[in-house]
Amino acid sequence: MTSARRATLIGATAILMWSLLALLTTSAAGIPPFELLTLSFGIGGALGLALLARRGAWRALRQPWPVWLLGVGGLFGYHALYFVALARAPAVEASLIAYLWPLLIVLFSGLLPGERLRAPQLIGALLGLAGAWLLVGGGAAFAPRAEYLPGYLAALGCAFTWSGYSVLNRRCGAVPSEAVVGFCLATALAGGVCHVVFEATVVPDARQWLAIALLGLGPVGAAFFVWDHGTKRGEIQLLGVLSYATPLLSTLLLLAAGRAEPRWQVVAACALIVGGAALAARQGDSRRRVAAADVR
């Protein structure tokens, strides 16, 4: 296995963790959004801080301000814009727009040095987008309304923020993934400020605390570290296509937990997303075989 494919697989574990986000968020229902962000990112950052202390790797936090701007802007910016989108537009429509980010990763990655946008990756991403559309929107026609424009723009900002962060992160290959600890803590701090300004505090009960702790361990904790590694050293176009598995796996988990109803769209979306990912992965294998032949 090549180092790039290994890094891609490591990055793809973030997709598995993000698929738990909907299930855990519903378990923490009742906690205001920015409070939930503050607590979960605070837990993820604190655990990362303990790991840094154990390794004595404090140097990882000493990064120039553009790196901090990219990291905190990506993590906090995406979530803040998503909360605004959900508050100003219907959740389904906001989510459909926000889920443009995997496709944008594939498109933007073609601008990176040494990368080229190829048809199989683009087609795979479009198939994944169609699958996400079926899952999130139920296949219904998108009917935008003028009063929801601020929410639509915020959701579009989500898509551009996360895709921009993921692609630009590749230009920061010399920055160790341990720096994400600082980004998580800064995101928790920014979320805390927003919580104090905009929300009333709700004291979590035992069930909610468990969900918050699991969020901090996985979807808003370890997931960002492995995603950082994958976007810096893996096949970023393939990661973009694979990201459409997030809504599919999330839906399957909700079905298993009895929090969603089975529907034909799940089967169709599975075929589209898996087919798109297989197409993109096959093209990646072909590129490596050609490169190996050229070396010989």
Side-chain angles (χ1 to χ4, degrees), residues 116 126 161:
R116 190 177 67 180
L126 290 172
T161 297

Side-chain angles (χ1 to χ4, degrees), residues 80-266:
L81 285 169
Y82 190 63
F83 294 157
V84 172
L86 292 180
R88 299 293 185 91
V92 169
E93 296 178 6
S95 297
L96 285 173
I97 297 172
Y99 261 117
L100 287 170
W101 66 261
L103 174 61
L104 291 176
I105 285 179
V106 175
L107 293 176
F108 292 160
S109 65
L111 302 175
L112 289 170
E115 295 287 345
R116 190 177 67 180
L117 182 60
R118 290 173 170 81
Q121 275 80 19
L122 180 57
I123 294 171
L126 290 172
L127 288 174
L129 178 61
W133 191 278
L134 282 175
L135 278 175
V136 180
F142 186 86
R145 295 170 59 181
E147 62 265 35
Y148 298 138
L149 181 60
Y152 298 153
L153 292 176
L156 189 61
C158 288
F160 276 94
T161 297
W162 191 250
S163 58
Y165 162 74
S166 299
V167 173
L168 289 174
N169 194 44
R170 198 173 186 88
R171 305 296 295 267
C172 301
V175 178
S177 294
E178 288 84 355
V180 175
V181 172
F183 306 155
C184 287
L185 292 173
T187 297
L189 179 61
V193 172
C194 291
H195 169 62
V196 170
V197 174
F198 300 116
E199 299 173 340
T201 301
V202 174
V203 179
D205 58 25
R207 174 182 57 82
Q208 291 168 327
W209 270 122
L210 177 59
I212 291 168
L214 292 175
L215 281 169
L217 285 171
V220 295
F224 294 120
F225 292 87
V226 295
W227 185 253
D228 180 87
H229 181 78
T231 54
K232 285 176 178 173
R233 298 173 176 80
E235 301 167 51
I236 192 167
Q237 292 182 351
L238 180 55
L239 277 174
V241 177
L242 290 174
S243 295
Y244 277 118
T246 301
L248 174 61
L249 294 173
S250 179
T251 301
L252 293 176
L253 286 171
L254 290 172
L255 284 171
R259 299 185 186 180
E261 295 295 327
R263 46 201 174 100
W264 68 266
Q265 288 93 339
V266 176

Side-chain angles (χ1 to χ4, degrees), residues 17 20-31 35-37 39-41 43-44 204-221 259:
M17 286 184 268
L20 294 167
L21 192 61
L23 182 61
L24 293 176
T25 301
T26 58
S27 298
I31 305 299
E35 181 181 353
L36 182 61
L37 182 147
L39 293 173
S40 55
F41 270 95
I43 290 172
D205 58 25
R207 174 182 57 82
Q208 291 168 327
W209 270 122
L210 177 59
I212 291 168
L214 292 175
L215 281 169
L217 285 171
V220 295
R259 299 185 186 180

Side-chain angles (χ1 to χ4, degrees), residues 2 6-7 15 18 38 58 72 81 88 98 137 146 161 213 217 223 246:
T2 65
R6 187 178 299 110
I15 297 167
W18 287 332
T38 301
W58 300 109
V72 179
L81 285 169
R88 299 293 185 91
T161 297
L217 285 171
T246 301

